[in-house]
Amino acid sequence: MIKGFKLILKAASFAADKHRTQLRKGEEATPYINHPIEVARILAEEGGVDDPEVIAAALLHDTIEDTETTADELRSLFGERVTSMVLEVTDDKSIKEKAERKRLQIVNAPHKSPGAALVKLADKTSNVRDVGARPAVDWSEQRRLEYLDWAKQVVDALPVANHPLKDAFKAS
Ligand code: ZN
């Protein structure tokens, strides 16, 4: 368990450094790192997930997509399994159309590994709560409703059945 503890703190510290200059889009402009920490907390506390590599992947889940972090960097520090989970929840930014990236999240959701599916589910739960509690300043009601509808489609397509996190998402 000590080993898992170290891995989780190392991931938290690494992600905090990588996201250090970023803020969330909401009105309060909270530090970006609050979001990955919340995703990890949702997994552990609401989802009962006790696999340290899944918690580490949650802390790191936006580093490749939203910072300069490379897969090789993650691989050398956190190993192959954590890295592949992060890659599975990373959008392909070479696809320029945001609408297409969002469509692919739905199409690709059924093929996620069990760990990546849980990270994705907790990520969507955190985002849906944020859209309700502290929406991006320039988001209309229409845009928020469209976001919720899309997030539900992604979650419904994930290979996760009868997990407490599914209920947590629905309640959100
Ligand atoms: Zn996220």
Side-chain angles (χ1 to χ4, degrees):
M1 212 43 220
I2 299 286
K3 199 174 162 224
F5 194 66
K6 278 187 196 164
L7 178 76
I8 288 165
L9 286 174
K10 188 170 151 187
S13 174
F14 180 89
D17 183 53
K18 289 291 185 175
H19 290 296
R20 68 188 179 277
T21 61
Q22 298 172 328
L23 300 171
R24 292 287 279 170
K25 281 182 274 181
E27 198 172 343
E28 295 164 35
T30 51
Y32 196 92
I33 190 64
N34 289 17
H35 164 66
I37 290 174
E38 171 66 2
V39 173
R41 185 203 65 77
I42 290 170
L43 282 168
E45 193 174 343
E46 299 180 43
V49 172
D50 60 2
D51 180 338
E53 291 192 323
V54 175
I55 303 299
L59 289 166
L60 298 165
H61 81 273
D62 278 333
T63 55
I64 292 182
E65 191 168 307
D66 293 333
T67 79
E68 300 295 298
T69 308
T70 64
D72 281 342
E73 205 177 351
L74 290 188
R75 218 170 265 125
S76 68
L77 290 166
F78 302 102
E80 187 55 48
R81 181 167 171 249
V82 170
T83 305
S84 69
M85 283 188 275
V86 174
L87 286 171
E88 281 185 80
V89 300
T90 297
D91 276 356
D92 181 355
K93 286 268 177 95
S94 72
I95 297 164
K96 292 295 166 217
E97 298 275 309
K98 191 164 185 213
E100 176 61 7
R101 292 204 304 266
K102 292 185 87 167
R103 190 187 69 84
L104 285 174
Q105 281 203 28
I106 301 169
V107 172
N108 294 330
H111 313 295
K112 299 295 172 207
S113 68
L118 290 174
V119 173
K120 192 99 202 156
L121 177 49
D123 183 32
K124 288 286 175 278
T125 303
S126 166
N127 285 338
V128 159
R129 287 175 185 170
D130 270 358
V131 164
R134 44 186 95 75
V137 271
D138 56 345
W139 278 34
S140 64
E141 169 137 14
Q142 166 81 1
R143 183 159 177 200
R144 285 194 256 167
L145 289 174
E146 280 170 12
Y147 182 87
L148 297 180
D149 181 60
W150 167 74
K152 186 177 179 304
Q153 287 184 61
V154 176
V155 165
D156 285 345
L158 287 170
V160 179
N162 300 321
H163 195 278
L165 278 182
K166 271 234 152 146
D167 300 325
F169 177 82
K170 272 191 209 129
S172 307

